Amino acid sequence: MKYDAFISYRHLEKDMYVAKKVHRALETAKIPKKIQKEIGRKKINRVFRDQEELPIGSDLGSNIEAALREAEFLVVICSPQTKESYWVMKEIDTFISMHGRENILAVLVDGEPSDSFPAQILTDENGNPVEPLAADVRGEKKKIIKRKLKTEGMRLAAAILKVDYDDLKQRHKERQMRKVIGFSIGVAAVITAFAVAFGLYNAYNLDKINAEYQQKLINESKVLAAQSENALENGDRTTAVLLAMEGLPQDGVDRPFVEESMDALSNALDCYDIGDDMVADGILTHNLQVEDFNLNEDASRLISCDNSGFVYVWDLENQKELFEIQPRYTDDGEVEKIKDIGFSKDLNIVCTDNGVYGYDNEGKETYHVSPDGYGFRFSAIREVNDSVYVITSTDTQLWLIDANTGEITKKYDNHLTDYYFDEASFSNDGNYLAISHFFTTYDQEEEILNCCTIYNLTTDEYVDVPITAGYTIDLKADTDGSFYVFSINSDSLMEYEDTPMYLQKIDYQTGEILWEQTAVYEGTVFASNNSMIAVGERETDDGNKESLVAISGTQSVYVYNGATGEAINTINVGDSLLRIAFNIYGTRLAIGTANGKLSYFPVDANTSYMNSATDITDEQMLDFHMANGVLVARCFRSPDLLIMRFRPDDSLLYSYEPEGRVTYTDAYSPDGSTYVTRSDTVEDDIDSGQDIVVHDSLTGEVKASVHIDDIFSSFLAGSVKYVDNDHLYMVGSAGVVYRYTISKGKLDSLETLDDSISADSYYSENLEYILVYGTREYCVIKTSDMKVVHKGIVSDDFSVPYMDGAIITPDGTIIYYIDSEKRLHSFDISSGKNEMLLEEYYCNGISISGDGQKFAVATTDGKLRLFAQSNLKQVDELEFYSGKIGQNSNLIKFSPDSNLLLLQGEDLYVKMYDLEKKEIVFSAPYQVNEITSLAFDEDVNRLALSSGLGMFVIDLNTYGQLAYIPNANMYIPHHQIIISKGNYGYSDVYAFKFKELDELIAIAKEKYGDCELTDAQKAKYGVQ
């Protein structure tokens, strides 16, 4: 053998330390000469210990397998976590397959043998218990382990050398005694000194090993977090949670905390979701490609089939398979083709070309209805009046089967030749059944005819109605006792060219054609299987109901008035259409397309609100179904069904519905007890002011409100400012300053500028002063008493450029402003001295620190320059590409302690610059919308940044991202409360408590505690 032993161990800190010590103990074991002569060898030759973890997604590798093959003994380092290691288990199984079980040795590091030893060591090949040869090195401290290894290492060496341990131990003692007696005191002193030095060196090495190991764990957690995000993007939420959890310290697993893992877990758990949008919730994996599927009414169950004929029934709420139904075979050995699958009350219905089958929820067959002759040509499951029927046809008859009992309730003989069914629809009252089919009559011109038969289920009478085109695509009932037929010419079905398609409205009772419309079926993509009719209803201006109908071609949807057939809108989508449906108000159409999107379009052509889209998948989508707020989709050649649903976070602190649409959540009070929401009010399409509402932070209760008939000078969040817990300040567009006293409900106003019709404003960093300015005028107000302390113009030369952006120092003495030609000025309020600064540069932005000691200027040459405010000397500069003034694309903000500078320029990347270290300490890896609000939480050293679309919470100790919170607008540090608002129309406002790591882990265990990664997933993701 090439190796005397192979050491297998999990790459945890203590296991790695013991593995290394065992390796050294075996290879340096001193064998007394008498034993050397007896066994014919002087030492243990070579020991294999893999010092690198196998890369994620790899197999054992040829070098590992070769070492196992060439190893005489396998030494397994055992702890309670060992059995969780895929790789250690794989190495044990591989060694056993090559050499058997006799030469496996165990080293106990932690726990009890029954908890720590793998099953392969504790039992033989027949499952009988065995007692392995084991060394016990358990100890809380490394020095205890090290001491035990002196004797236990000898025990392992004896086993490998195949000698008696007691004999080896005794002779070793005799040898050591002779050496000790021969030493002098002086030599002993030298040895002692050497031992101390060696111990220090060894401690250094251990610290280095530990540091390397900790970094390895950090890197592993980051990889797992990235894989968690990928799993979530692919719709596998459960795997995303489990992967994120693997990278976090929990349940006694001592590993470093990595922010990416906390962020990944927060995303995987879908925390802070307000329930406005559908999100991926999981996947259902089949044996082969999914062919068809359906949901029950409340979306609690799903039935599906793959292309091998297997049928699956799922508990959709828990995403677990309930049972499988094996394929059925004909006498010729062919799989019975599945025609339709669905539900009837508590039964699961499967329709094949040879029968209709009902199964209970344990998979037991309850009935079986078989056709006469050659089988069913057509089967469709339809619901009407809380009952479900299977409509089937043979060559000679049409059957109506009660899907709950299997009873055949109606049989109608075929009264036509060459009968072929394609679609079926009940009237809304359940009294009529429309069946589409086409039949061929050969006359001199070989004309292809098509008709639809309407059966009166009460009298069993029927009427045949001619259909315009030869192939019926869809049938759908309307609420007014009529139904729609959507048809296309049969000879155009497989042609990739534009062709007419026809929509007819037909009276159920008489068969009268009420109206007909013609549209264009684009021939760029053949997708007739996915073309369909959608029926809706909306309220008109006079309070009446108006029916709507839409048909889909390949890439366009045509909308009509259901009563008159008048065309309302044509919606060009630009991708292959799958499904269409009206919303409950009849104002929008939901349209699903093959590019994996569910989009919402206005029904009326002249409606101007924006289309919104949900990304269902990045793959080519074939079909999807929706029920009760759940969407399930299948993709091209995929064995998976993707589940999406609305997942509002049930840990919501509170929510409320505002009277109007909340435009901004502006500010919170200095003590965090209240916050402000602001709404723009519109009357007759004209802006008519602002509604300011003060809320209790912990409950959302309205504490006070006021309406102001003015538009604020800034349309951004932060236009309303608390200067203390009881007073709010706002500045109108013409320079009027408003102060609202919350406790008294009193609104005061102060006119500031004389000539300006348009004003801007700036609050000093300490909120003691408000600077209101126009093109040349300025006015400084002291917030403590709402008094004007300074007023004037920055220059009496009206030929010079005007002010385009201005700030004021915290002491209210200096105004820095950028003029319309992008030049920076310093204006001393007391002396009236106006000085141009940085004459060699053009400027785009300016900010001053809270202590007034520094100010920063963004220049158009791609730099941010920092100056000492006392002497205007430049103290630092860094790269920064600023945007244009007035476009809100510059964020230049000092932290409260004035040590950090928060930046966002034209490129929209957020960065943080440490003014003491003079380096960028944080740089966001992606672009975000312009930051509209930020909050420093000094108690836990966090920063929350909101772009209006979402919030980033950053740990300022490590500059790692702890969470991304969609729709969040405000973070209140005093209570770690997050305020979010919906995106669509008059949406509610929501409040959440920020979830710390222990809370996230507790939620994950509660919801996913019974789930675990499979062995295949562990191997794929490198989880040990």
Side-chain angles (χ1 to χ4, degrees):
M1 293 286 182
K2 184 178 178 180
Y3 299 103
D4 286 318
F6 181 110
I7 301 178
S8 178
Y9 62 101
R10 188 165 186 179
H11 286 65
L12 299 174
E13 181 182 4
K14 184 181 285 188
D15 299 35
M16 290 174 66
Y17 173 76
V18 172
K20 183 176 181 181
K21 288 300 181 184
V22 168
H23 189 168
R24 180 175 177 81
L26 293 177
E27 288 196 335
T28 60
K30 301 297 183 182
I31 305 173
K33 288 185 178 180
K34 288 183 179 180
I35 293 181
Q36 289 181 24
K37 291 178 181 179
E38 292 173 5
I39 64 176
R41 58 189 296 187
K42 295 181 179 181
K43 64 175 183 176
I44 293 174
N45 294 318
R46 294 186 64 189
V47 177
F48 183 91
R49 175 174 60 89
D50 181 25
Q51 299 185 47
E52 296 296 329
E53 275 191 273
L54 293 173
I56 289 172
S58 72
D59 205 342
L60 276 179
S62 58
N63 62 323
I64 302 295
E65 289 189 0
L68 286 166
R69 186 175 293 106
E70 293 295 324
E72 187 174 7
F73 282 83
L74 177 67
V75 180
V76 184
I77 310 298
C78 298
S79 65
Q81 290 81 32
T82 298
K83 291 183 287 187
E84 300 171 3
S85 171
Y86 173 83
W87 301 118
V88 174
M89 298 299 100
K90 185 75 171 176
E91 287 168 353
I92 295 172
D93 290 339
T94 303
F95 184 88
I96 291 173
S97 69
M98 293 174 174
H99 306 293
R101 302 170 186 271
E102 291 76 18
N103 286 358
I104 299 179
L105 309 175
V107 179
L108 186 60
V109 175
D110 261 331
E112 296 302 320
S114 59
D115 299 324
S116 302
F117 289 176
Q120 301 97 311
I121 297 177
L122 293 173
T123 58
D124 62 18
E125 60 272 16
N126 298 318
N128 300 315
V130 296
E131 185 174 346
L133 178 61
D136 186 353
V137 298
R138 289 175 291 181
E140 292 297 322
K141 297 182 179 179
K142 289 180 179 178
K143 64 180 181 180
I144 297 175
I145 296 172
K146 188 176 179 182
R147 185 171 66 246
K148 286 187 175 183
L149 273 168
K150 289 181 180 180
T151 55
E152 296 301 279
M154 193 180 302
R155 189 187 307 276
L156 295 171
I160 292 171
L161 294 169
K162 299 178 182 176
V163 299
D164 185 80
Y165 166 66
D166 291 332
D167 190 24
L168 180 62
K169 181 179 179 182
Q170 183 61 34
R171 300 209 182 168
H172 182 73
K173 282 185 177 180
E174 292 172 358
R175 178 173 174 270
Q176 290 297 103
M177 184 63 70
R178 287 195 300 270
K179 289 176 66 176
V180 170
I181 292 173
F183 282 163
S184 66
I185 297 176
V187 174
V190 172
I191 291 176
T192 301
F194 175 78
V196 172
F198 181 78
L200 292 173
Y201 174 74
N202 195 44
Y204 166 78
N205 278 342
L206 283 177
D207 288 342
K208 184 178 179 182
I209 290 170
N210 183 60
E212 291 174 352
Y213 174 67
Q214 293 297 312
Q215 186 58 51
K216 193 170 191 176
L217 289 177
I218 290 171
N219 294 340
E220 181 184 66
S221 292
K222 289 183 177 181
V223 170
L224 289 169
Q227 290 174 329
S228 171
E229 297 288 0
N230 288 337
L232 187 61
E233 286 182 8
N234 293 328
D236 193 349
R237 187 174 294 277
T238 300
T239 299
V241 170
L242 297 177
L243 287 172
M245 290 281 281
E246 285 288 339
L248 287 166
Q250 50 165 320
D251 290 339
V253 177
D254 185 17
R255 68 183 301 139
F257 168 68
V258 175
E259 293 82 1
E260 287 90 340
S261 293
M262 179 174 172
D263 186 25
L265 183 58
S266 178
N267 291 336
L269 293 173
D270 197 32
C271 297
Y272 318 108
D273 194 332
I274 63 177
D276 265 9
D277 298 300
M278 275 190 167
V279 294
D281 193 46
I283 57 175
L284 305 178
T285 300
H286 300 65
N287 297 329
L288 292 172
Q289 174 184 331
V290 179
E291 277 294 302
D292 195 11
F293 64 99
N294 220 326
L295 296 155
N296 68 346
E297 187 176 11
D298 64 359
S300 61
R301 283 186 297 157
L302 180 140
I303 188 168
S304 57
C305 62
D306 64 23
N307 63 4
S308 67
F310 275 86
V311 176
Y312 308 74
V313 178
W314 307 83
D315 175 348
L316 199 53
E317 293 178 345
N318 298 309
Q319 298 180 26
K320 292 182 178 180
E321 182 183 318
L322 297 175
F323 58 87
E324 289 183 13
I325 302 171
Q326 299 285 327
R328 290 182 178 269
Y329 295 88
T330 65
D331 294 338
D332 298 332
E334 297 290 330
V335 175
E336 291 187 16
K337 185 178 180 181
I338 295 175
K339 299 281 192 180
D340 203 0
I341 49 179
F343 298 97
S344 176
K345 296 184 179 178
D346 292 328
L347 291 186
N348 309 280
I349 313 301
V350 178
C351 304
T352 73
D353 49 10
N354 271 358
V356 176
Y357 306 88
Y359 299 89
D360 64 19
N361 280 333
E362 294 181 353
K364 181 180 178 181
E365 183 181 306
T366 60
Y367 68 78
H368 171 204
V369 181
S370 296
D372 301 323
Y374 294 100
F376 289 130
R377 279 186 174 270
F378 168 79
S379 294
I381 302 170
R382 296 289 184 266
E383 183 175 359
V384 61
N385 291 339
D386 297 325
S387 298
V388 178
Y389 293 92
V390 180
I391 305 161
T392 66
S393 69
T394 65
D395 285 338
T396 59
Q397 286 187 323
L398 173 72
W399 293 6
L400 196 60
I401 302 170
D402 186 325
N404 204 48
T405 64
E407 177 189 359
I408 302 173
T409 61
K410 293 286 184 182
K411 279 188 179 182
Y412 295 112
D413 291 331
N414 180 12
H415 62 283
L416 301 170
T417 59
D418 296 328
Y419 199 105
Y420 179 77
F421 288 108
D422 189 61
E423 267 300 336
S425 174
F426 285 102
S427 62
N428 283 355
D429 59 12
N431 293 328
Y432 294 88
L433 174 65
I435 299 288
S436 72
H437 54 85
F438 67 84
F439 65 97
T440 305
T441 301
Y442 294 96
D443 56 19
Q444 293 180 349
E445 298 181 358
E446 294 189 349
E447 181 183 6
I448 298 177
L449 303 176
N450 184 11
C451 79
C452 176
T453 301
I454 305 173
Y455 294 92
N456 185 321
L457 300 178
T458 303
T459 66
D460 295 331
E461 297 176 344
Y462 64 85
V463 60
D464 293 331
V465 180
I467 304 303
T468 304
Y471 178 74
T472 300
I473 290 179
D474 197 10
L475 273 176
K476 202 81 84 195
D478 201 352
T479 57
D480 60 359
S482 64
F483 71 100
Y484 299 100
V485 183
F486 177 17
S487 62
I488 191 171
N489 292 326
S490 303
D491 56 3
S492 300
L493 280 175
M494 297 302 294
E495 298 295 330
Y496 289 82
E497 60 184 23
D498 291 352
T499 189
M501 56 185 184
Y502 305 93
L503 179 65
Q504 296 169 277
K505 185 170 185 177
I506 300 171
D507 186 282
Y508 260 113
Q509 296 182 5
T510 65
E512 178 188 359
I513 298 174
L514 303 176
W515 56 258
E516 180 176 322
Q517 272 284 7
T518 304
V520 177
Y521 188 97
E522 308 95 328
T524 54
V525 179
F526 176 68
S528 64
N529 290 337
N530 298 108
S531 298
M532 63 186 63
I533 299 171
V535 177
E537 190 176 62
R538 66 179 175 182
E539 187 173 312
T540 60
D541 293 337
D542 57 8
N544 295 320
K545 296 292 185 180
E546 178 183 64
S547 63
L548 300 167
V549 60
I551 56 174
S552 60
T554 54
Q555 296 189 8
S556 296
V557 178
Y558 303 86
V559 186
Y560 303 97
N561 182 303
T564 65
E566 178 187 359
I568 295 176
N569 195 5
T570 298
I571 302 169
N572 298 308
V573 180
D575 209 311
S576 299
L577 296 167
L578 300 182
R579 289 194 176 274
I580 59 175
F582 288 96
N583 69 347
I584 59 173
Y585 305 108
T587 56
R588 292 199 296 173
L589 260 174
I591 300 177
T593 46
N595 62 358
K597 291 185 181 297
L598 177 64
S599 303
Y600 297 91
F601 291 87
V603 166
D604 289 315
N606 59 352
T607 304
S608 60
Y609 60 78
M610 186 181 298
N611 159 50
S612 58
T614 298
D615 290 319
I616 300 173
T617 177
D618 292 332
E619 301 178 41
Q620 182 182 353
M621 189 164 60
L622 296 181
D623 197 8
F624 67 91
H625 292 286
M626 292 180 68
N628 197 29
V630 178
L631 182 149
V632 181
R634 69 182 177 104
C635 297
F636 180 66
R637 290 188 175 179
S638 173
D640 298 330
L641 286 175
L642 172 66
I643 306 168
M644 298 188 72
R645 67 174 76 232
F646 297 100
R647 287 175 49 98
D649 189 341
D650 56 12
S651 69
L652 185 70
L653 191 61
Y654 60 81
S655 66
Y656 57 85
E657 183 178 356
E659 291 186 6
R661 181 177 179 179
V662 172
T663 313
Y664 297 108
T665 49
D666 269 287
Y668 54 84
S669 61
D671 64 0
S673 61
T674 62
Y675 65 91
V676 168
T677 60
R678 174 162 57 98
S679 304
D680 298 326
T681 55
V682 178
E683 294 180 4
D684 299 327
D685 295 329
I686 300 175
D687 291 332
S688 61
Q690 316 269 311
D691 286 326
I692 311 300
V693 183
V694 181
H695 301 269
D696 184 280
S697 297
L698 293 175
T699 65
E701 177 189 355
V702 175
K703 308 297 290 185
S705 64
V706 63
H707 176 81
I708 298 176
D709 289 319
D710 199 349
I711 303 299
F712 295 165
S713 60
S714 172
F715 291 97
L716 295 179
S719 295
V720 181
K721 296 282 190 182
Y722 282 90
V723 297
D724 54 41
N725 293 318
D726 196 34
H727 292 94
L728 298 172
Y729 271 88
M730 301 139 275
V731 181
S733 58
V736 178
V737 174
Y738 300 91
R739 181 178 67 178
Y740 180 63
T741 304
I742 298 171
S743 60
K744 298 179 180 180
K746 181 184 179 184
L747 182 68
D748 299 305
S749 62
L750 175 67
E751 293 188 6
T752 58
L753 304 181
D754 296 329
D755 299 324
S756 295
I757 59 173
S758 177
D760 280 312
S761 60
Y762 178 85
Y763 295 77
S764 65
E765 289 297 317
N766 55 13
L767 298 178
E768 291 185 7
Y769 299 95
I770 303 175
L771 170 65
V772 184
Y773 61 94
T775 54
R776 305 184 189 283
E777 272 189 286
Y778 71 90
C779 183
V780 180
I781 297 94
K782 186 118 175 121
T783 57
S784 59
D785 55 9
M786 200 181 177
K787 298 294 185 183
V788 174
V789 292
H790 300 288
K791 187 175 181 179
I793 56 175
V794 294
S795 174
D796 56 7
D797 184 354
F798 287 86
S799 64
V800 301
Y802 56 83
M803 286 191 288
D804 204 11
I807 65 174
I808 190 169
T809 55
D811 60 7
T813 61
I814 305 292
I815 297 173
Y816 292 102
Y817 73 89
I818 298 172
D819 67 24
S820 56
E821 294 183 356
K822 298 188 177 182
R823 298 296 189 177
L824 176 65
H825 296 256
S826 169
F827 180 76
D828 188 307
I829 294 176
S830 298
S831 65
K833 181 181 179 181
N834 190 329
E835 181 181 1
M836 184 181 293
L837 308 177
L838 302 182
E839 295 187 20
E840 65 272 34
Y841 299 109
Y842 294 97
C843 304
N844 271 340
I846 187 169
S847 180
I848 194 163
S849 61
D851 59 12
Q853 300 300 308
K854 313 178 193 74
F855 69 94
V857 182
T859 52
T860 57
D861 62 342
K863 299 290 183 183
L864 186 78
R865 292 175 165 82
L866 285 95
F867 296 86
Q869 204 273 325
S870 58
N871 55 20
L872 302 183
K873 287 186 177 181
Q874 182 172 326
V875 295
D876 200 359
E877 75 174 35
L878 61 146
E879 187 178 86
F880 179 66
Y881 296 94
S882 55
K884 297 177 181 178
I885 300 173
Q887 291 190 351
N888 306 309
S889 57
N890 291 333
L891 174 67
I892 307 170
K893 179 72 175 178
F894 287 88
S895 61
D897 60 9
S898 302
N899 291 329
L900 285 176
L901 194 56
L902 188 64
L903 303 169
Q904 185 187 36
E906 182 74 6
D907 60 1
L908 297 179
Y909 286 96
V910 176
K911 297 179 176 67
M912 273 185 273
Y913 183 76
D914 190 306
L915 296 170
E916 294 182 353
K917 296 179 180 178
K918 294 186 181 295
E919 64 181 26
I920 297 289
V921 292
F922 171 80
S923 183
Y926 40 75
Q927 294 175 306
V928 299
N929 274 26
E930 287 89 348
I931 299 299
T932 56
S933 68
L934 55 89
F936 286 91
D937 190 339
E938 297 181 68
D939 289 341
V940 290
N941 206 25
R942 285 182 192 145
L943 171 64
L945 300 167
S946 176
S947 66
L949 300 178
M951 178 181 291
F952 305 86
V953 182
I954 298 168
D955 185 339
L956 292 178
N957 298 304
T958 60
Y959 300 106
Q961 181 175 303
L962 296 171
Y964 172 74
I965 305 169
N967 304 302
N969 302 92
M970 179 189 292
Y971 178 93
I972 304 175
H974 310 75
H975 309 292
Q976 286 81 49
I977 289 177
I978 294 154
I979 306 297
S980 301
K981 66 180 182 67
N983 291 323
Y984 309 119
Y986 295 87
S987 301
D988 292 358
V989 175
Y990 307 81
F992 299 92
K993 283 279 278 186
F994 182 79
K995 295 177 178 63
E996 303 294 346
L997 179 60
D998 57 346
E999 296 174 89
L1000 292 174
I1001 291 174
I1003 294 170
K1005 288 180 178 178
E1006 179 183 352
K1007 293 184 177 181
Y1008 299 91
D1010 295 334
C1011 304
E1012 58 182 22
L1013 295 170
T1014 65
D1015 289 342
Q1017 287 176 316
K1018 289 179 180 179
K1020 176 181 178 180
Y1021 298 115
V1023 176
Q1024 295 193 37

